[in-house]
Amino acid sequence: MHKTLVTLGALIAGLTLAFGSASAATAHSELEGSVPAQGSTVSTVTELVLTFGEAVVPDYSTVVLANSAGISVELGAPTYDTTATVMTIPITSGALPNGDYIAGFRIVSVDGHPISGEIDYTVAGSDVPAFVVPTPSDSATEAATQGPVVTDGTTETVTLTRANDGPNVLVVVGTIFAALVALGLVTVVLLVAIRRNRAKATE
Amino acid sequence: MTMTIIAKRTLAFATLTMAALALAGCTSAAAVSTHTPEADAAVVPTFTDVWVKAAPELMGGTGMTALFGVFENPSHDDITILGGTADAALTTTKLDTHEVVQNDAGEMVMQEKKDGIVIPAHGSVTLKPGSYHIMFWDLKKPIAVGDTITITVNFSNGTSATVDAVARDIANANETYDPKADTGATPAPSSTMNMG
Amino acid sequence: MTRRGFLLSAGTTTGAFALGAGVGVAANAAVALRADTAVGAATVNFYGAHQAGIETPFQAHGVFLGFDLKRDTTHVMARRMMELLTDDAARLAQGDPALPDNDPYLAEKPARLTATFGFGPGFFTKLGLSSQIPAGFADLPAYRIDKLVPEYSGSDLVISIGSDDPLTLAHAVRQLTRTARSFSSIRWSQKGFVRSQGVAPATQTNRNLFGQVDGTINPAPGTEAFAGQVWAEGSPSWFAGGTQLVLRRIAMNLDTWDKLDEGGKEISVGRKLSNGAPLTGVHEFDAADMEAKNSAGLSVIPDFAHMRRARTDNPKEKFLRRPLNYDDGILLDGTSNSGLLFAAYMANIQTQYLPVQQRLVDLDLLNTWTTPIGSAVYALPPGCLPGGFIGEGLLS
Ligand code: HEM
Ligand SMILES: [Cu+2]
Ligand SMILES: [Cu+2]
């Protein structure tokens, strides 16, 4: 269901782009919109969806996610819609806990134009337990479990584990959220044409 | 620059520097005037950069070519290259000295230089396309590029030398033989090096 | 005889004379035309343990000539060819004409002329010398980025000629070709260049036609690192002191490249256009910080950056890059016909080059604008001493 919905969302996104944002045709592959959107506050985030004005070359894409403390969150491999303009990046550990986040992306459009930027958003009202930074002695035992493997911005690698999490709970939660996110995607994509310049492009 | 000019320069130079010559001393004598022709009789000219124009294919079972190089005469007297002989397997015809001259029709042609090619005393002569050369007739086998052929060159002072020549590809040195070009013909002008 | 030849023989015939007198003759004979500049008169020693033209600092102009042995070429003929080519190259490097030479005056200003010889895979197989093929020497595998054309690929023999003067170079090309073609047929010739002598300090790194500073990371001539990366040792014994050459003709699409802004150009390699400094540094030779992240958490030097993909800390995967630019004029549609004669020298292609090339095939943003259209490999014998010839260890 998750997949179907996302694909449907992507299809709609593609149509929207095709008909709704003709003005973007001459632009390079700039970011036209994202979920979560730049500056938004959302309660549930299990993946990032980036929509570009032009097809991107999958090989060259990089997306990173960190919270305001500089703790980075592990992301899965991106998938693309058939037009290669909508990129979906799963969050490996599932829904995010509350906090301020910075997503950084760097992509290359099919004409070779590299674009990068960042999307800042806030997660509020999430019931997902906050990340805890294990003490070095913990990490030896806990590193093997799931949980984002991150760098904390000072280049020292630490392993984060979530308090009280269990794989089964995550799968259920993830499935529900996926449905919600997919619905959210459809909505957001429809708004893309007016909001596409909100992202802070740095290049 | 032709051999003629080189020879002249070298001679002029030798004259100008007679004093230096005398001071430095030559092979044996303290003064130039003391040497006799006999004293130089055994001097064999030296040679460098000797090559032969390759004849990779025979025409009608035979062929011709020419040998070039720099011959130097360290002695006090002019020495003349008289010609030579090649390995019998290559040609049994005597190797004559040739020059390139303008015939009455204005063409550059080669002819035998019957009195030989002079290497001036303390000088050198360069055999090169469009000028002096040692002529090969009646080749019995081809000469491929890179082959080394060995000939005996005879000099006017009674000496001879065994000379190795490497076969090289060159587009010119194709003058036709004109036995009628008279001996008083104009020598090849110094500016003319290449006559295709 | 050339003027120079005349001087030599004058010197010989007047061996007992004071040296000064000989110089006087030189002045007489030469007058205006013979006058040399430091650039024109400069020579690179042809003889030595290694062939010239590899460790030699860049000459402004270069040509690669690819020849295929004639079908009936024997071991003996190959040997003669190399003897004659060696003789030509040694003379030309000194500013002397080849033997013979119909345009001897064009040899007068060697301008650091070098001629370097190498044997392609076909040289070994055609001559029955397969057992002498050096370790790691073979054609590159076919890569998915390649669009190779035969006109620029492979050959049994390569002659790479360099000089600071294009006229001298053209003459040397003619002379060496004339010798080679008695034994082989020309397959292709590829011309390249870097900056002219005197335009920039000799130590300044070149730029390619993308405007990039190209050649920053390279072993310095005369160092142990250079010797370790470039010169082969051990077996087969004929190859000790030799090196292997990968020659790739890589088209660079200047027209699509020009659509990028400066930032886009810079992150494709990971270095600044202005001075070649890494994006994490200030000066050209600053060490690149591969871990550095920007405010968005992205690597400053991207994952797809050419330098990140090409670089290695493994000394056994490093080699010398000595590329020349090529610019074959503007095509009729107004677009560029330019690129790099990418020449890399190493002791062992397989262990040193292939891993790097594979990484660049797998991921390198530069591939967007670059297309390999020619490819060839050669085993370059060690140098020789006067009286010897290049390749003597293999062909004697
Ligand atoms: C048209 C094609 C190419 C262009 C325009 C190009 C350009 C550059 C530039 C601008 C640099 C950075 C400066 C420097 O260190 O020299 C560089 C570095 C490098 N390139 Fe290339 N290059 C090309 C092809 C290749 C190929 C085919 C290879 C090897 C398979 C290669 C291997 C390297 C290596 C090893 C470095 C040094 C990396 C490091 O250690 O930092 N390049 N290249
Ligand atoms: Cu004397
Ligand atoms: Cu004749």
Side-chain angles (χ1 to χ4, degrees):
Chain A
M1 180 180 73
H2 176 144
K3 245 198 169 147
T4 318
L5 278 176
V6 172
T7 313
L8 190 69
L11 230 135
I12 296 170
L15 286 172
T16 312
L17 285 168
F19 296 106
S21 57
S23 63
T26 54
H28 286 293
S29 197
E30 64 196 56
L31 183 70
E32 305 236 315
S34 65
V35 183
Q38 162 65 23
S40 62
T41 299
V42 287
S43 58
T44 307
V45 181
T46 58
E47 61 184 15
L48 306 174
V49 181
L50 308 182
T51 302
F52 297 95
E54 199 182 330
V56 307
V57 184
D59 282 355
Y60 298 133
S61 302
T62 307
V63 181
V64 294
L65 179 63
N67 70 11
S68 54
I71 305 288
S72 74
V73 179
E74 191 183 318
L75 301 173
T79 55
Y80 298 84
D81 73 334
T82 50
T83 64
T85 56
V86 180
M87 179 181 180
T88 303
I89 310 101
I91 293 162
T92 307
S93 57
L96 293 172
N98 291 339
D100 293 334
Y101 291 88
I102 305 159
F105 66 90
R106 180 181 276 132
I107 59 95
V108 177
S109 61
V110 284
D111 68 358
H113 204 95
I115 313 286
S116 67
E118 63 179 82
I119 301 155
D120 304 339
Y121 63 91
T122 302
V123 176
S126 166
D127 53 8
V128 176
F131 292 126
V132 285
V133 182
T135 62
S137 59
D138 290 337
S139 60
T141 45
E142 312 247 4
T145 65
Q146 73 295 322
V149 178
V150 298
T151 55
D152 64 2
T154 65
T155 76
E156 197 185 319
T157 300
V158 295
T159 301
L160 295 181
T161 54
R162 183 169 294 128
N164 308 326
D165 73 350
N168 290 337
V169 177
L170 274 180
V171 169
V172 174
V173 169
T175 309
I176 293 165
F177 287 154
L180 291 172
V181 166
L183 283 172
L185 172 73
V186 173
T187 318
V188 170
V189 158
L190 290 169
L191 297 171
V192 149
I194 19 174
R195 300 192 59 180
R196 64 176 184 273
N197 291 326
R198 294 284 301 275
K200 284 196 284 172
T202 61
E203 282 168 24
Chain B
M1 173 184 304
T2 66
M3 183 289 310
T4 321
I5 286 175
I6 294 161
K8 271 195 196 133
R9 280 231 174 85
T10 310
L11 285 172
F13 176 45
T15 315
L16 281 169
T17 53
M18 260 319 172
L21 235 182
L23 279 175
C26 289
T27 45
S28 55
V32 176
S33 56
T34 63
H35 83 269
T36 61
E38 289 74 17
D40 280 341
V43 172
V44 184
T46 59
F47 41 86
T48 51
D49 293 351
V50 182
W51 59 282
V52 61
K53 180 175 159 95
E57 280 163 31
L58 297 184
M59 307 258 243
T62 185
M64 58 179 175
T65 190
L67 177 141
F68 309 91
V70 181
F71 288 80
E72 289 167 13
N73 174 3
S75 79
H76 308 290
D77 301 291
D78 291 357
I79 300 176
T80 301
I81 304 171
L82 298 177
T85 52
D87 190 286
L90 185 61
T91 178
T92 47
T93 306
K94 180 180 177 288
L95 311 180
D96 290 330
T97 52
H98 273 207
E99 64 184 340
V100 172
V101 297
Q102 201 164 25
N103 67 8
D104 297 340
E107 300 159 335
M108 301 312 295
V109 293
M110 62 180 178
Q111 65 178 11
E112 190 179 351
K113 183 148 174 50
K114 293 222 169 63
D115 45 357
I117 299 166
V118 175
I119 320 171
H122 293 299
S124 71
V125 63
T126 299
L127 282 55
K128 63 181 181 184
S131 180
Y132 296 144
H133 53 276
I134 294 175
M135 192 71 199
F136 289 60
W137 296 112
D138 307 321
L139 291 181
K140 294 185 194 168
K141 59 178 187 187
I143 303 174
V145 173
D147 283 355
T148 298
I149 64 156
T150 304
I151 66 166
T152 303
V153 179
N154 300 318
F155 300 104
S156 58
N157 64 357
T159 65
S160 64
T162 302
V163 177
D164 286 339
V166 62
R168 287 296 212 149
D169 172 36
I170 191 156
N172 61 2
N174 294 320
E175 289 79 15
T176 46
Y177 180 58
D178 183 355
K180 296 191 300 282
D182 69 47
T183 43
T186 325
S190 62
S191 60
T192 308
M193 285 195 54
N194 304 339
M195 286 143 296
Chain C
M1 170 184 277
T2 66
R3 295 183 177 117
R4 188 174 290 251
F6 165 51
L7 294 182
L8 284 176
S9 57
T12 311
T13 52
T14 58
F17 294 2
L19 206 71
V23 173
V25 174
N28 270 343
V31 213
L33 264 183
R34 179 70 237 185
D36 279 325
T37 65
V39 172
T43 56
V44 175
N45 186 14
F46 176 80
Y47 298 106
H50 310 295
Q51 286 197 67
I54 301 162
E55 205 156 6
T56 308
F58 276 94
Q59 295 109 327
H61 302 269
V63 172
F64 290 90
L65 301 168
F67 296 91
D68 285 337
L69 293 180
K70 287 184 177 163
R71 198 189 308 239
D72 54 357
T73 301
T74 61
H75 193 276
V76 175
M77 287 156 79
R79 180 198 157 117
R80 284 187 183 161
M81 173 177 75
M82 291 314 299
E83 285 171 342
L84 300 185
L85 287 171
T86 299
D87 185 68
D88 288 345
R91 288 170 191 265
L92 293 165
Q94 274 179 276
D96 290 335
L99 179 75
D101 192 331
N102 281 336
D103 299 296
Y105 307 110
L106 291 179
E108 279 173 357
K109 304 191 188 314
R112 298 195 302 131
L113 182 97
T114 58
T116 314
F117 304 95
F119 305 143
F123 191 91
F124 296 92
T125 51
K126 285 184 186 171
L127 296 174
L129 292 169
S130 298
S131 65
Q132 298 299 314
I133 293 178
F137 179 71
D139 274 320
L140 303 188
Y143 293 115
R144 66 176 174 84
I145 56 170
D146 289 356
K147 293 214 167 58
L148 305 184
V149 295
E151 298 94 293
Y152 296 125
S153 296
S155 79
D156 297 340
L157 172 75
V158 73
I159 310 178
S160 144
I161 314 169
S163 172
D164 287 325
D165 180 56
L167 188 59
T168 297
L169 181 68
H171 173 252
V173 166
R174 283 277 301 154
Q175 297 309 314
L176 290 161
T177 299
R178 187 194 37 160
T179 297
R181 73 185 178 200
S182 291
F183 308 90
S184 57
S185 47
I186 186 85
R187 177 144 177 183
W188 43 253
S189 75
Q190 306 189 51
K191 237 194 299 185
F193 61 94
V194 294
R195 281 200 197 283
S196 296
Q197 274 295 315
V199 166
T203 51
Q204 199 170 91
T205 310
N206 288 322
R207 279 187 194 270
N208 61 36
L209 288 165
F210 278 167
Q212 300 159 333
V213 176
D214 192 348
T216 302
I217 303 296
N218 241 349
T223 59
E224 248 172 64
F226 188 104
Q229 292 176 28
V230 175
W231 305 127
E233 43 190 28
S235 71
S237 59
W238 73 270
F239 193 58
T243 187
Q244 300 182 16
L245 163 65
V246 176
L247 177 64
R248 307 262 290 167
R249 184 181 182 89
I250 306 179
M252 291 164 40
N253 191 326
L254 305 190
D255 298 280
T256 53
W257 176 255
D258 277 352
K259 293 184 176 165
L260 292 181
D261 54 18
E262 187 152 333
K265 290 178 175 179
E266 289 182 336
I267 69 168
S268 69
V269 164
R271 289 183 175 273
K272 292 175 187 163
L273 287 170
S274 57
N275 64 354
L279 292 179
T280 57
V282 175
H283 303 292
E284 181 187 357
F285 294 100
D286 288 352
D289 180 356
M290 290 300 169
E291 309 302 328
K293 306 274 194 294
N294 67 14
S295 64
L298 297 163
S299 299
V300 176
I301 296 171
D303 294 344
F304 55 58
H306 179 70
M307 85 175 283
R308 181 185 288 278
R309 301 297 300 165
R311 72 177 301 284
T312 174
D313 290 325
N314 180 355
K316 296 201 159 67
E317 287 185 11
K318 296 186 182 200
F319 47 80
L320 169 71
R321 290 176 294 130
R322 200 174 184 280
L324 300 178
N325 303 307
Y326 76 82
D327 180 17
D328 283 3
I330 300 293
L331 297 173
L332 288 180
D333 65 358
T335 58
S336 69
N337 185 10
S338 309
L340 220 49
L341 300 181
F342 179 85
Y345 298 82
M346 67 224 72
N348 184 314
I349 289 174
Q350 190 188 345
T351 56
Q352 291 170 262
Y353 184 84
L354 294 191
V356 180
Q357 178 69 76
Q358 188 59 54
R359 286 201 299 275
L360 297 182
V361 168
D362 292 342
L363 186 74
D364 175 8
L365 188 57
L366 268 194
N367 292 339
T368 309
W369 306 277
T370 63
T371 310
I373 55 175
S375 189
V377 296
Y378 302 97
L380 279 52
C384 69
L385 297 176
F389 67 95
I390 301 297
E392 57 196 357
L394 182 65
L395 298 169
S396 287

